[in-house]
Amino acid sequence: MIKKEMIAMLLAGGQGSRLGVLTSKMAKPAVAFGGKYRIIDFPLSNCINSGVDTVGVLTQYRPLKLNSHIGIGIPWDLDRNIGGVTVLPPYEKSSNSEWYTGTANAIYQNMEYMESYNPDYVLILSGDHIYKMDYEIMLDFHKAHHAEVTIAVMPVPIEEASRFGIMIADENKRITEFEEKPAHPRSNLASMGIYIFNWKTLKEALLAMAEQPALDFGKHIIPYCHQQGAPLFAYEYTGYWKDVGTLSSYWQANMELIDIVPEFNLYEEYWKIYTKSESLPPQYLSGDSVVERSIIGEGSSIYGQVYSSVIGCNVTIGAGTVIRDSIIMNQAQIGAGCQINKAIVDEEVRIGNNVKLGVGEEKENDTAPHIYNSGLVTIGEKSVIPDGISVGKNSVIFGVTAADDYENSYLASGKTLIKAGE
């Protein structure tokens, strides 16, 4: 039997509904980030940089883009004969077909995969956070404390603590209590959704709780282990960690990459972030172009002006166009004479000439103010915006639109334009 000390199970099935139209056609971990990466590149790179060479990636919601991005794991050096990366979608069993119903249920359905490596430890990860973390140091902590479960925690502002699973630990970092999203938190140590389990402990908990509907780590597995008296410890992480689960946090995390001294540095030699790279030509900046404090992806052609923005690969920006504080993803084409302010433009979007995004006063979005806010304009994948259109703030466009879809060539702030069939 193959023996691995620690294997990783990466939960990448999330729909990411708070990212709105960005995840209407793909899972959240497949969303582009930082010009050339996808969100899942960060936990995968952490694995290989930490010496974890066996990773099961659990996919579910619209996995096509994610699966083709991961492939056989070559960019992360995870194309191994033994171990490597394995994509684990839900599958048809002999009697019934069952979707993953909760984080722990997804792990439970892949017991056979984990068993085949006979690991001492299982590392559980989420596929939708941006951070760098050496899991080997966390494993050393786990062993030193003779823990059966170690939960990575991070101090958060106490006023935000009710959004998280909160741990209460003693002076030895042993967890004495925890509360899932408490109304009145008694601690600010938030679970990061990163766990190391002794395989024996995890297996026993999964089997004992298997019938629980929507089986979840925070709600079911961790409380079960605690009740059984398993030693649970809190591993405190103090580095950069961002949950990019909302459009505003996603935009903010991209903008932080272009700070003069970025808190999250993509350029460190000793902790590389790996990704699947196409063979693209170099970027091209015309003589009239201006680029300030921005990331520009490979294969992009810039004829206009770009300020404080993150531009993906194979993007074209026309002459006289001015882009500020925006994210423009791979293969978007933006015409001439446009003004784009604080926008998120998804992959393969086509924007005509003389289009203005982010104009006028800010108004609350009329369909989903909890998603489309912070003054952002969001344009979904493969959308088309015709020449001469102006679009207000907190608005969203998705689909191929024509001039007739806009009243007086204008989409007011807070409006939603989603064409049928999208």
Side-chain angles (χ1 to χ4, degrees):
M1 188 186 233
I2 309 158
K3 174 81 180 149
K4 291 277 180 187
E5 184 183 28
M6 182 162 80
I7 63 170
M9 299 295 275
L10 177 52
L11 295 156
Q15 183 173 349
S17 53
R18 290 175 306 152
L19 287 176
V21 294
L22 297 191
T23 51
S24 60
K25 296 281 179 79
M26 69 176 95
K28 179 160 63 164
V31 172
F33 183 84
K36 67 178 286 184
Y37 304 99
R38 297 192 183 275
I39 294 171
I40 198 166
D41 292 338
F42 295 87
L44 278 177
S45 297
N46 288 342
C47 283
I48 203 65
N49 287 332
S50 304
V52 178
D53 66 3
T54 304
V55 186
V57 179
L58 291 80
T59 61
Q60 175 155 295
Y61 171 79
R62 292 197 178 265
L64 181 66
K65 192 158 268 185
L66 195 61
N67 294 355
S68 63
H69 179 65
I70 294 168
I72 57 168
I74 292 170
W76 304 273
D77 191 26
L78 286 168
D79 51 325
R80 309 282 173 112
N81 289 335
I82 296 171
V85 71
T86 308
V87 175
L88 301 167
Y91 57 92
E92 191 89 32
K93 300 168 190 65
S94 53
S95 56
N96 66 336
S97 175
E98 191 186 344
W99 283 96
Y100 298 151
T101 58
T103 53
N105 173 266
I107 303 292
Y108 169 72
Q109 287 197 44
N110 287 286
M111 293 272 273
E112 207 176 306
Y113 169 81
M114 294 184 287
E115 196 79 83
S116 69
Y117 291 104
N118 188 25
D120 297 322
Y121 308 102
V122 177
L123 170 67
I124 309 286
L125 301 171
S126 165
D128 50 13
H129 298 139
I130 303 292
Y131 66 110
K132 295 177 189 173
M133 184 177 187
D134 191 336
Y135 305 130
E136 206 166 6
I137 296 172
M138 185 175 169
L139 180 60
D140 291 343
F141 172 95
H142 180 85
K143 292 176 184 172
H145 288 80
H146 305 289
E148 289 189 27
V149 184
T150 295
I151 300 171
V153 297
M154 183 162 200
V156 294
I158 197 79
E159 59 274 14
E160 288 181 28
S162 54
R163 289 175 39 216
F164 299 92
I166 294 296
M167 309 290 140
I168 295 160
D170 65 16
E171 64 280 4
N172 300 318
K173 301 279 192 258
R174 184 163 180 157
I175 296 167
T176 52
E177 290 177 67
F178 48 85
E179 303 167 302
E180 187 67 22
K181 300 185 178 169
H184 305 289
R186 291 181 290 141
S187 152
N188 72 334
L189 287 182
S191 167
M192 296 168 67
I194 298 169
Y195 315 107
I196 291 178
F197 283 86
N198 288 4
W199 167 228
K200 187 167 163 287
T201 306
L202 176 61
K203 189 171 163 182
E204 186 204 311
L206 289 170
L207 292 169
M209 302 297 283
E211 299 308 312
Q212 191 74 37
L215 187 60
D216 182 82
F217 279 100
K219 294 193 188 89
H220 306 119
I221 297 298
I222 307 284
Y224 173 85
C225 294
H226 191 53
Q227 284 154 14
Q228 298 301 308
L232 271 65
F233 281 82
Y235 171 73
E236 196 168 323
Y237 175 74
T238 52
Y240 181 96
W241 181 80
K242 226 5 172 236
D243 179 348
V244 287
T246 64
L247 285 173
S248 57
S249 67
Y250 171 80
W251 176 83
Q252 187 68 46
N254 271 278
M255 292 300 111
E256 284 170 0
L257 296 175
I258 51 176
D259 283 346
I260 304 300
V261 181
E263 197 183 338
F264 188 77
N265 188 345
L266 292 172
Y267 303 96
E268 282 169 341
E269 191 58 38
Y270 74 94
W271 198 269
K272 288 186 174 154
I273 306 299
Y274 300 94
T275 188
K276 178 186 177 187
S277 286
E278 312 291 340
S279 298
L280 294 172
Q283 54 194 221
Y284 172 74
L285 307 180
S286 80
D288 298 329
S289 68
V290 179
V291 175
E292 282 183 14
R293 223 186 80 174
S294 297
I295 288 172
I296 309 287
E298 299 151 326
S300 289
S301 301
I302 314 295
Y303 298 91
Q305 300 173 33
V306 180
Y307 302 96
S308 302
S309 295
V310 174
I311 311 294
C313 301
N314 265 344
V315 170
T316 304
I317 294 170
T321 287
V322 180
I323 295 179
R324 295 179 193 277
D325 306 319
S326 295
I327 301 166
I328 314 291
M329 297 193 212
N330 300 348
Q331 297 179 45
Q333 289 190 6
I334 298 171
C338 298
Q339 289 178 29
I340 294 180
N341 294 306
K342 207 174 175 187
I344 298 176
V345 176
D346 206 344
E347 300 185 39
E348 296 182 57
V349 166
R350 303 281 174 272
I351 293 177
N353 299 324
N354 305 312
V355 169
K356 294 179 180 174
L357 301 185
V359 300
E361 289 180 16
E362 199 171 318
K363 289 192 180 142
E364 191 174 86
N365 183 266
D366 56 1
T367 52
H370 62 295
I371 295 175
Y372 304 107
N373 51 45
S374 309
L376 288 161
V377 180
T378 308
I379 314 293
E381 184 185 29
K382 295 183 180 171
S383 297
V384 175
I385 300 178
D387 294 351
I389 299 297
S390 294
V391 179
K393 298 166 183 170
N394 293 337
S395 54
V396 53
I397 295 173
F398 188 30
V400 177
T401 64
D404 312 354
D405 298 321
Y406 302 85
E407 200 172 324
N408 301 322
S409 300
Y410 182 54
L411 184 71
S413 289
K415 293 296 178 191
T416 300
L417 176 55
I418 295 182
K419 293 298 299 234
E422 296 306 329

